[in-house]
Amino acid sequence: MTIAIYPGSFDPITNGHLDILKSGAEIFDKVIIAVSYNANKQGFLPVDIRTKLIEESAKDIPNVEVDSFEGLTVEYAKKRGATVLLRGLRTSFDFEYEMQLSQTNHALYGDIKTVFLITKPEYNYISSSCVREILLNKGDIKGFVPDPVCEYLKSI
Ligand code: ADP
């Protein structure tokens, strides 16, 4: 049984993240999507809200578990018995950063492999930071985020 961790800030989860999660769930036996946080750094949404929104957005994918963790991703992966880190790639900028991150994680924990999935073109421009920016300026985030996220963000 291959368990993959899909780590990220997911602040908030977007349609791009969800697309990678769905594809990952087709490939691996189980995908744990895990919100990584730092208790000393405040994000946009509290971690419990981020996880709740992921749960609602991914409720139809049976082999997905939602969790959160603080600290090194590889330590969390060890604890959960995962041998794969799942990450999404949009642009060459993502690639530069992700390559270093993947090599660092492998240096820390030789049993871990990072698997990259390329996003669909229609989600290529979507990021959590652009969603936050649109929201801040009272724009419409429909089409950028899953419906439960859209409803929640419109209500706050
Ligand atoms: P981080 O803070 O670790 O960058 P994010 O929540 O921004 O976490 O993203 C988590 C993962 O999802 C990263 O691998 C990122 O490249 C990927 N990702 C972000 N947005 C998209 C998107 N629109 N399509 C595909 N992958 C994405």
Side-chain angles (χ1 to χ4, degrees), residues 11 37-47 50 132:
D11 196 15
Y37 66 93
N38 175 344
N40 298 318
K41 274 196 201 160
Q42 215 198 332
F44 167 61
L45 295 174
V47 174
R50 286 187 237 169
R132 297 195 296 268

Side-chain angles (χ1 to χ4, degrees), residues 36-85:
S36 67
Y37 66 93
N38 175 344
N40 298 318
K41 274 196 201 160
Q42 215 198 332
F44 167 61
L45 295 174
V47 174
D48 60 331
I49 299 287
R50 286 187 237 169
T51 52
K52 187 173 125 309
L53 293 175
I54 298 172
E55 266 158 13
E56 288 172 10
S57 306
K59 68 176 185 339
D60 295 333
I61 321 172
N63 54 335
V64 164
E65 181 189 323
V66 186
D67 196 9
S68 61
F69 70 98
E70 194 175 14
L72 289 176
T73 305
V74 289
E75 292 304 324
Y76 176 71
K78 266 186 214 170
K79 202 175 85 184
R80 299 304 314 266
T83 51
V84 172
L85 297 178

Side-chain angles (χ1 to χ4, degrees), residues 6-11 14 16-17 20 87-90 94 97-98 119 123-124 126-128:
Y6 181 24
S9 313
F10 306 111
D11 196 15
T14 67
H17 292 134
I20 299 291
R87 297 286 287 177
L89 287 180
R90 288 163 292 187
D94 276 350
Y97 169 72
E98 293 288 344
T119 190
Y123 301 130
N124 211 50
I126 300 178
S127 66
S128 298

